[in-house]
């Protein structure tokens, strides 16, 4: 470039182009005067970040992640445990229900048996009472009947005597009695 | 530029945003001068610190917002290293995480208007790429000895082709740090410069709505690019590391 | 004069970024085509997708860089 400076600048001036001037900064990336500065600060930054990461941040995050994994595993185990417990409780409840039902059945059966026994006893007692009553009645009836037969006999004898007497005969007591008795039997 | 001055006041310099300026002092940039580059580099460190240390200080089993982000970043890079490099690669996870966190924080901080983006400078990305390149090469030789050279000897190819392939592999191996660094810096620089160009056009009343729409669209793209370039840098580092750990083709 | 030529060269170099965009589009299109045929295998290949895109894009970035060098550094 330097070799053609005169001509180049002249042309540029002619058409109003200010090469590498007029605020143009060129490419700061290729300005090697501050590369040392940038590299120095880069090295410092990298060392700082490396120390931050390896000493503090990464172990801490790894620990947190591991802890979370552990917590999740524990929680899952605990949940499993609780599920098992709930299952056991349900089984126990079912068992209790079955037992209670059996107990209830037993109590019902016992009560039924008791009641049956009471009932039987009562029926038997009633039966005997009824039997006694009917025997008594029977006896009373037969007594009454006997009484009635006697009365009828007496009435019949008296009536026969009267009839015989009215007919003019003399009633033989023995004959009358025998006749009445015979008649009564027939 | 003649046309610009004719239009009146339309002057833009898309590269001005990449200037390294000392903050205070007499304008001389020594290697230890606190420049805007140093400022935004330290901001990146601060963000990493806030996100990964302050954000996780509660060590909550049920994470808050910051802690979720920190854990996401951790899981993201850890899984990447483990998937690509295998179990042996996990040892190098802190180094790769360092690279990723620095690049992603610097990229995103650079998206703040008027910010300086350290990763848009070759002075930053070339050392990063060389760090990866040298580290991986030395690691490969230390781990595998001379058999690391098997990386260049494609044993699955016909014997006659192997020397030619070896040459190509060798060249592509040495191009790695070049593309590795220029990809990152170039992408970031390109996006920022294009936004600046659109911003320059926004001064013209006629095209300013288009220009502002363009800025918005480019900004959205840049958010994506910021993350993807950090991701790509990291994943390529993992791929190179895998080559060093398992050089067999 | 040289400056103008450099600017023209920068414009030509910038075409390379557009050509690289075709490459990036190809990578993404092929990935999408494959992913739609076999969605279950797609998730495992996103890393490969990004690596492919990055390689394709890097070359576009190179031409962008050449354009920048011509604009500002020559």
């Amino acid at each position: 470039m330097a070799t053609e400076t005169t001509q180049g600048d002249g042309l540029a001036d002619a058409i109003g182009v200010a090469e590498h001037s007029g605020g143009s900064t060129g490419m700061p990336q290729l300005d090697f005067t501050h590369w040392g500065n940038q590299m120095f600060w880069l090295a410092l930054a990298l060392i700082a970040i490396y120390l931050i990461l390896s000493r503090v941040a990464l172990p801490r995050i790894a620990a947190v992640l591991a802890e979370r994994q552990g917590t999740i595993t524990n929680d899952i185990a605990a949940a499993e445990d609780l599920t098992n417990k709930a299952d056991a409780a349900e089984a126990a409840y079912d068992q209790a229900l079955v037992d209670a039902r059996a107990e209830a059945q037993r109590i019902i059966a016992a009560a039924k048996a008791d009641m049956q026994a009471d009932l039987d006893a009562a029926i038997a007692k009633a039966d005997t009472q009824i039997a006694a009553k009917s025997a008594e009645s029977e006896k009373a009836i037969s007594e009454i009947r006997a009484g009635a037969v006697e009365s009828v006999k007496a009435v019949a004898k008296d009536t026969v005597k009267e009839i015989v007497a009215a007919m003019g005969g003399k009633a033989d007591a023995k004959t009358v009695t025998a006749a009445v008795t015979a008649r009564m039997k027939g | 530029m003649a046309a610009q001055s004719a239009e009146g006041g339309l002057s833009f310099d898309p590269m001005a945003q990449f200037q390294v300026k000392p903050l205070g002092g007499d304008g001389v940039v020594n290697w230890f001068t606190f420049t805007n580059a140093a400022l935004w580099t330290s901001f990146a460190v601060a963000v990493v610190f806030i996100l990964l240390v302050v954000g996780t200080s509660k060590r909550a089993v049920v994470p808050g917002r910051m802690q979720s982000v920190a854990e996401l970043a951790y899981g993201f890079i850890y899984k990447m290293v483990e998937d690509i490099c295998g179990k042996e690669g996990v040892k190098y996870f802190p180094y790769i995480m360092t690279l990723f966190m620095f690049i992603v924080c610097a990229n995103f901080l650079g998206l703040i208007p008027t910010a300086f983006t350290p990763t848009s400078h070759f002075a930053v990305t070339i050392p990063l790429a060389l760090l990866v390149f040298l580290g991986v090469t030395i690691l490969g030789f230390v781990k595998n000895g001379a058999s690391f050279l098997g990386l260049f000897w494609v044993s699955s190819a016909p014997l006659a082709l192997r020397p030619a392939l070896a040459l190509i592999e060798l060249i592509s191996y040495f191009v790695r740090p070049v593309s590795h660094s220029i990809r990152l810096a170039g992408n970031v620089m390109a996006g920022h410069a294009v936004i600046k160009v659109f911003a320059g056009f926004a001064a013209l009343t006629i095209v300013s709505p288009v220009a502002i729409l363009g800025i918005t669209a480019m900004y959205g793209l840049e958010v994506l690019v910021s993350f993807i370039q950090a991701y790509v840098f990291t994943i390529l580092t993992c791929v190179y590391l895998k080559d060093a750990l398992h050089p067999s083709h | 004069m040289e400056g103008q030529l450099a600017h023209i060269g920068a414009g030509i170099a910038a075409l390379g970024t557009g050509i690289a965009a075709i490459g990036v589009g190809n990578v993404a299109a092929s990935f999408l085509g494959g992913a739609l045929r076999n969605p279950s295998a797609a998730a495992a290949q996103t890393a490969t997708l990004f690596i492919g895109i990055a390689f394709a894009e890097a070359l576009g970035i190179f031409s962008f860089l050449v354009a920048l060098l011509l604009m500002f550094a020559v």
Side-chain angles (χ1 to χ4, degrees):
Chain A
M1 237 191 49
T3 52
E4 288 181 277
T5 327
T6 39
Q7 204 206 344
D9 277 355
L11 253 173
D13 287 347
I15 56 170
V17 173
E19 240 181 285
H20 292 191
S21 61
S24 178
T25 45
M27 247 179 105
Q29 278 90 347
L30 298 179
D31 181 359
F32 292 95
T33 52
H34 48 61
W35 273 48
N37 175 276
Q38 279 174 289
M39 284 187 197
F40 168 70
W41 287 103
L42 170 71
L44 221 59
L46 287 183
I47 291 168
I49 293 176
Y50 177 73
L51 289 180
I52 289 171
L53 288 185
S54 62
R55 292 289 148 85
V56 188
L58 297 185
R60 184 185 287 174
I61 295 174
V64 168
L65 290 179
E67 191 191 333
R68 176 170 318 143
Q69 197 57 47
T71 310
I72 289 171
T73 315
N74 285 346
D75 283 0
I76 287 173
E80 196 95 6
D81 206 35
L82 287 177
T83 311
N84 289 342
K85 270 187 191 157
D87 284 350
E90 198 187 345
Y93 168 75
D94 281 349
Q95 188 57 46
L97 210 59
V98 167
D99 286 354
R101 206 167 268 154
E103 180 73 12
Q105 291 292 344
R106 206 181 55 69
I107 290 168
I108 289 169
K112 227 177 226 171
D114 275 2
M115 277 155 76
Q116 195 65 45
D118 283 357
L119 197 61
D120 286 351
I123 287 171
K125 199 176 162 197
D127 276 354
T128 48
Q129 277 172 356
I130 290 165
K133 280 258 194 244
S134 41
E136 210 170 299
S137 310
E138 203 86 22
K139 202 174 148 206
I141 289 167
S142 57
E143 263 169 24
I144 290 166
R145 188 177 282 154
V149 168
E150 285 306 308
S151 302
V152 168
K153 257 183 195 166
V155 169
K157 271 184 213 164
D158 286 351
T159 310
V160 167
K161 267 182 201 161
E162 286 302 316
I163 292 167
V164 170
M167 303 277 271
K170 177 83 165 91
D172 179 16
K174 222 174 173 178
T175 318
V176 169
T177 307
V180 166
T181 310
R183 269 318 202 189
M184 289 286 282
K185 274 181 184 164
Chain B
M1 286 182 194
Q4 287 160 22
S5 35
E7 277 157 342
L10 179 65
S11 70
F12 48 83
D13 186 0
M15 305 313 277
Q17 57 180 327
F18 301 120
Q19 272 175 321
V20 177
K21 284 175 245 143
L23 299 173
D26 49 2
V28 178
V29 179
N30 285 317
W31 59 270
F32 53 84
T33 314
F34 197 75
T35 57
N36 53 352
L39 178 71
W40 288 92
T41 307
S42 23
F43 277 168
V45 178
V47 168
V48 172
F49 182 80
I50 290 169
L51 188 65
L52 293 186
V53 176
V54 179
T56 60
S57 57
K58 274 190 278 179
R59 300 162 188 263
V61 171
V62 178
R65 250 175 284 179
M66 287 249 274
Q67 198 184 326
S68 306
V69 174
E71 284 171 11
L72 266 180
Y74 180 96
F76 180 62
I77 303 300
Y78 191 89
K79 192 172 172 298
M80 188 195 291
V81 174
E82 200 177 27
D83 283 355
I84 295 177
C85 308
K87 284 280 174 205
E88 311 94 288
V90 170
K91 219 177 0 168
Y92 308 100
F93 164 64
Y95 302 99
I96 291 172
M97 186 79 176
T98 302
L99 285 178
F100 177 76
M101 288 314 295
F102 172 71
I103 295 172
V104 84
C105 289
N107 279 355
F108 276 127
L109 283 174
L111 286 175
I112 298 170
T114 72
F116 178 88
T117 321
T119 42
S120 68
H121 275 251
F122 299 124
V124 168
T125 60
I126 286 176
L128 282 177
L130 278 180
L131 210 64
V132 171
F133 178 76
L134 291 177
V136 159
T137 308
I138 292 168
L139 185 75
F141 276 112
V142 168
K143 282 247 162 192
N144 306 289
S147 69
F148 181 59
L149 294 170
L151 186 63
F152 308 111
W153 198 249
V154 188
S155 50
S156 57
L159 192 61
L161 277 177
R162 282 185 206 172
L165 280 177
L167 187 68
I168 294 172
E169 289 281 331
L170 200 65
I171 292 172
S172 75
Y173 188 81
F174 281 98
V175 167
R176 275 177 178 184
V178 178
S179 66
H180 206 184
S181 58
I182 289 181
R183 181 182 303 114
L184 176 58
N187 264 299
V188 176
M189 193 202 323
H192 284 235
V194 169
I195 288 179
K196 207 67 165 186
V197 169
F198 274 122
F201 277 119
L204 283 178
T205 320
I206 297 172
V207 292
S208 62
V210 182
I212 289 167
L213 269 180
I215 293 175
T216 315
M218 277 310 293
Y219 197 90
L221 184 69
E222 276 309 290
V223 171
L224 202 66
V225 163
S226 289
F227 177 74
I228 286 182
Q229 287 310 315
Y231 172 63
V232 162
F233 194 97
T234 318
I235 207 168
L236 284 175
T237 306
C238 290
V239 170
Y240 299 160
L241 183 63
K242 183 202 76 181
D243 279 350
L245 294 174
H246 318 280
S248 54
H249 249 280
Chain C
M1 189 63 208
E2 202 181 327
Q4 273 72 47
L5 285 179
H7 283 110
I8 292 168
I12 295 170
L15 291 177
T17 57
I19 296 166
I22 297 174
V24 173
N26 258 332
V27 174
S30 308
F31 175 81
L32 193 58
L36 287 178
R37 276 173 207 278
N38 188 2
S40 57
Q45 298 305 319
T46 35
T48 323
L49 168 74
F50 280 110
I51 293 175
I53 285 181
F55 276 122
E57 196 183 13
L59 301 173
I61 293 292
F62 285 164
S63 60
F64 167 75
L65 191 70
V66 170
L68 277 183
L69 289 174
L70 288 171
M71 281 288 287
F72 298 109
V74 173

mmCIF file of all heavy atoms in Angstrom, chain A residues 1 4-19, chain C residues 1-2 4:
data_model
loop_
_atom_site.group_PDB
_atom_site.id
_atom_site.type_symbol
_atom_site.label_atom_id
_atom_site.label_comp_id
_atom_site.label_asym_id
_atom_site.label_seq_id
_atom_site.Cartn_x
_atom_site.Cartn_y
_atom_site.Cartn_z
ATOM 1 N N MET A 1 0.824 -1.203 0.000
ATOM 2 C CA MET A 1 0.000 0.000 0.000
ATOM 3 C C MET A 1 0.863 1.259 0.000
ATOM 4 O O MET A 1 0.571 2.214 -0.687
ATOM 5 C CB MET A 1 -0.908 0.002 1.231
ATOM 6 C CG MET A 1 -2.337 0.100 0.769
ATOM 7 S SD MET A 1 -3.578 0.418 1.975
ATOM 8 C CE MET A 1 -3.026 1.758 2.915
ATOM 9 N N GLU A 4 2.044 2.840 -3.287
ATOM 10 C CA GLU A 4 1.154 3.595 -4.176
ATOM 11 C C GLU A 4 0.454 4.730 -3.453
ATOM 12 O O GLU A 4 -0.592 5.188 -3.886
ATOM 13 C CB GLU A 4 0.101 2.642 -4.766
ATOM 14 C CG GLU A 4 0.699 1.704 -5.803
ATOM 15 C CD GLU A 4 -0.365 0.805 -6.387
ATOM 16 O OE1 GLU A 4 -0.681 -0.217 -5.763
ATOM 17 O OE2 GLU A 4 -0.893 1.145 -7.447
ATOM 18 N N THR A 5 1.031 5.108 -2.365
ATOM 19 C CA THR A 5 0.349 6.076 -1.512
ATOM 20 C C THR A 5 -0.023 7.356 -2.256
ATOM 21 O O THR A 5 -1.177 7.779 -2.203
ATOM 22 C CB THR A 5 1.244 6.477 -0.313
ATOM 23 O OG1 THR A 5 2.020 5.369 0.039
ATOM 24 C CG2 THR A 5 0.392 6.932 0.827
ATOM 25 N N THR A 6 0.917 7.887 -2.943
ATOM 26 C CA THR A 6 0.663 9.199 -3.561
ATOM 27 C C THR A 6 -0.509 9.151 -4.517
ATOM 28 O O THR A 6 -1.472 9.904 -4.386
ATOM 29 C CB THR A 6 1.915 9.675 -4.321
ATOM 30 O OG1 THR A 6 2.505 8.548 -4.961
ATOM 31 C CG2 THR A 6 2.909 10.306 -3.371
ATOM 32 N N GLN A 7 -0.458 8.181 -5.413
ATOM 33 C CA GLN A 7 -1.526 8.104 -6.406
ATOM 34 C C GLN A 7 -2.856 7.749 -5.738
ATOM 35 O O GLN A 7 -3.887 8.334 -6.019
ATOM 36 C CB GLN A 7 -1.172 7.038 -7.447
ATOM 37 C CG GLN A 7 -1.895 7.288 -8.769
ATOM 38 C CD GLN A 7 -2.094 6.003 -9.553
ATOM 39 O OE1 GLN A 7 -1.457 4.999 -9.263
ATOM 40 N NE2 GLN A 7 -2.963 6.029 -10.525
ATOM 41 N N GLY A 8 -2.793 6.778 -4.856
ATOM 42 C CA GLY A 8 -4.017 6.327 -4.190
ATOM 43 C C GLY A 8 -4.671 7.466 -3.433
ATOM 44 O O GLY A 8 -5.858 7.722 -3.573
ATOM 45 N N ASP A 9 -3.889 8.182 -2.675
ATOM 46 C CA ASP A 9 -4.455 9.255 -1.862
ATOM 47 C C ASP A 9 -5.040 10.355 -2.736
ATOM 48 O O ASP A 9 -6.093 10.918 -2.444
ATOM 49 C CB ASP A 9 -3.371 9.827 -0.946
ATOM 50 C CG ASP A 9 -3.234 8.964 0.300
ATOM 51 O OD1 ASP A 9 -4.056 8.010 0.442
ATOM 52 O OD2 ASP A 9 -2.347 9.232 1.105
ATOM 53 N N GLY A 10 -4.340 10.593 -3.828
ATOM 54 C CA GLY A 10 -4.829 11.609 -4.733
ATOM 55 C C GLY A 10 -6.200 11.262 -5.270
ATOM 56 O O GLY A 10 -7.127 12.067 -5.228
ATOM 57 N N LEU A 11 -6.353 9.996 -5.689
ATOM 58 C CA LEU A 11 -7.649 9.538 -6.209
ATOM 59 C C LEU A 11 -8.719 9.602 -5.133
ATOM 60 O O LEU A 11 -9.831 10.083 -5.351
ATOM 61 C CB LEU A 11 -7.524 8.104 -6.701
ATOM 62 C CG LEU A 11 -7.530 7.910 -8.219
ATOM 63 C CD1 LEU A 11 -7.232 6.475 -8.561
ATOM 64 C CD2 LEU A 11 -8.875 8.340 -8.783
ATOM 65 N N ALA A 12 -8.326 9.146 -3.980
ATOM 66 C CA ALA A 12 -9.285 9.124 -2.884
ATOM 67 C C ALA A 12 -9.735 10.535 -2.549
ATOM 68 O O ALA A 12 -10.927 10.791 -2.348
ATOM 69 C CB ALA A 12 -8.634 8.482 -1.660
ATOM 70 N N ASP A 13 -8.806 11.437 -2.550
ATOM 71 C CA ASP A 13 -9.172 12.825 -2.269
ATOM 72 C C ASP A 13 -10.104 13.346 -3.337
ATOM 73 O O ASP A 13 -11.078 14.051 -3.059
ATOM 74 C CB ASP A 13 -7.910 13.698 -2.225
ATOM 75 C CG ASP A 13 -7.129 13.428 -0.962
ATOM 76 O OD1 ASP A 13 -7.703 12.775 -0.062
ATOM 77 O OD2 ASP A 13 -5.958 13.850 -0.879
ATOM 78 N N ALA A 14 -9.828 12.941 -4.571
ATOM 79 C CA ALA A 14 -10.614 13.445 -5.684
ATOM 80 C C ALA A 14 -12.077 13.042 -5.571
ATOM 81 O O ALA A 14 -12.975 13.821 -5.872
ATOM 82 C CB ALA A 14 -10.034 12.935 -6.997
ATOM 83 N N ILE A 15 -12.316 11.778 -5.147
ATOM 84 C CA ILE A 15 -13.724 11.377 -5.052
ATOM 85 C C ILE A 15 -14.251 11.457 -3.625
ATOM 86 O O ILE A 15 -15.332 10.991 -3.302
ATOM 87 C CB ILE A 15 -13.941 9.958 -5.615
ATOM 88 C CG1 ILE A 15 -13.023 8.960 -4.885
ATOM 89 C CG2 ILE A 15 -13.689 9.922 -7.112
ATOM 90 C CD1 ILE A 15 -13.362 7.527 -5.209
ATOM 91 N N GLY A 16 -13.467 12.032 -2.771
ATOM 92 C CA GLY A 16 -13.976 12.327 -1.433
ATOM 93 C C GLY A 16 -13.990 11.138 -0.492
ATOM 94 O O GLY A 16 -14.784 11.094 0.427
ATOM 95 N N VAL A 17 -13.158 10.152 -0.755
ATOM 96 C CA VAL A 17 -13.113 9.019 0.159
ATOM 97 C C VAL A 17 -11.918 9.178 1.078
ATOM 98 O O VAL A 17 -10.804 9.399 0.626
ATOM 99 C CB VAL A 17 -13.001 7.694 -0.618
ATOM 100 C CG1 VAL A 17 -12.769 6.536 0.350
ATOM 101 C CG2 VAL A 17 -14.255 7.462 -1.420
ATOM 102 N N ALA A 18 -12.176 9.131 2.320
ATOM 103 C CA ALA A 18 -11.072 9.201 3.271
ATOM 104 C C ALA A 18 -10.767 7.795 3.744
ATOM 105 O O ALA A 18 -11.487 7.224 4.545
ATOM 106 C CB ALA A 18 -11.434 10.108 4.441
ATOM 107 N N GLU A 19 -9.727 7.240 3.169
ATOM 108 C CA GLU A 19 -9.387 5.864 3.517
ATOM 109 C C GLU A 19 -8.860 5.804 4.939
ATOM 110 O O GLU A 19 -7.996 6.591 5.325
ATOM 111 C CB GLU A 19 -8.295 5.381 2.563
ATOM 112 C CG GLU A 19 -8.718 4.175 1.739
ATOM 113 C CD GLU A 19 -7.584 3.748 0.851
ATOM 114 O OE1 GLU A 19 -7.325 4.435 -0.152
ATOM 115 O OE2 GLU A 19 -6.947 2.745 1.182
ATOM 116 N N MET C 1 -7.698 4.043 -5.331
ATOM 117 C CA MET C 1 -8.108 2.996 -6.279
ATOM 118 C C MET C 1 -8.101 1.635 -5.596
ATOM 119 O O MET C 1 -9.060 0.874 -5.653
ATOM 120 C CB MET C 1 -7.136 2.994 -7.466
ATOM 121 C CG MET C 1 -7.590 2.094 -8.596
ATOM 122 S SD MET C 1 -9.162 2.700 -9.284
ATOM 123 C CE MET C 1 -9.848 1.190 -9.863
ATOM 124 N N GLU C 2 -7.004 1.437 -4.902
ATOM 125 C CA GLU C 2 -6.881 0.147 -4.230
ATOM 126 C C GLU C 2 -7.995 -0.057 -3.210
ATOM 127 O O GLU C 2 -8.538 -1.140 -3.066
ATOM 128 C CB GLU C 2 -5.520 0.093 -3.525
ATOM 129 C CG GLU C 2 -5.048 -1.321 -3.266
ATOM 130 C CD GLU C 2 -3.727 -1.292 -2.553
ATOM 131 O OE1 GLU C 2 -2.936 -0.370 -2.813
ATOM 132 O OE2 GLU C 2 -3.500 -2.190 -1.729
ATOM 133 N N GLN C 4 -11.022 1.129 -3.355
ATOM 134 C CA GLN C 4 -12.271 0.747 -4.030
ATOM 135 C C GLN C 4 -12.252 -0.728 -4.407
ATOM 136 O O GLN C 4 -13.225 -1.448 -4.217
ATOM 137 C CB GLN C 4 -12.477 1.595 -5.294
ATOM 138 C CG GLN C 4 -13.177 2.910 -5.033
ATOM 139 C CD GLN C 4 -12.244 3.873 -4.301
ATOM 140 O OE1 GLN C 4 -11.093 4.034 -4.697
ATOM 141 N NE2 GLN C 4 -12.754 4.497 -3.258
#
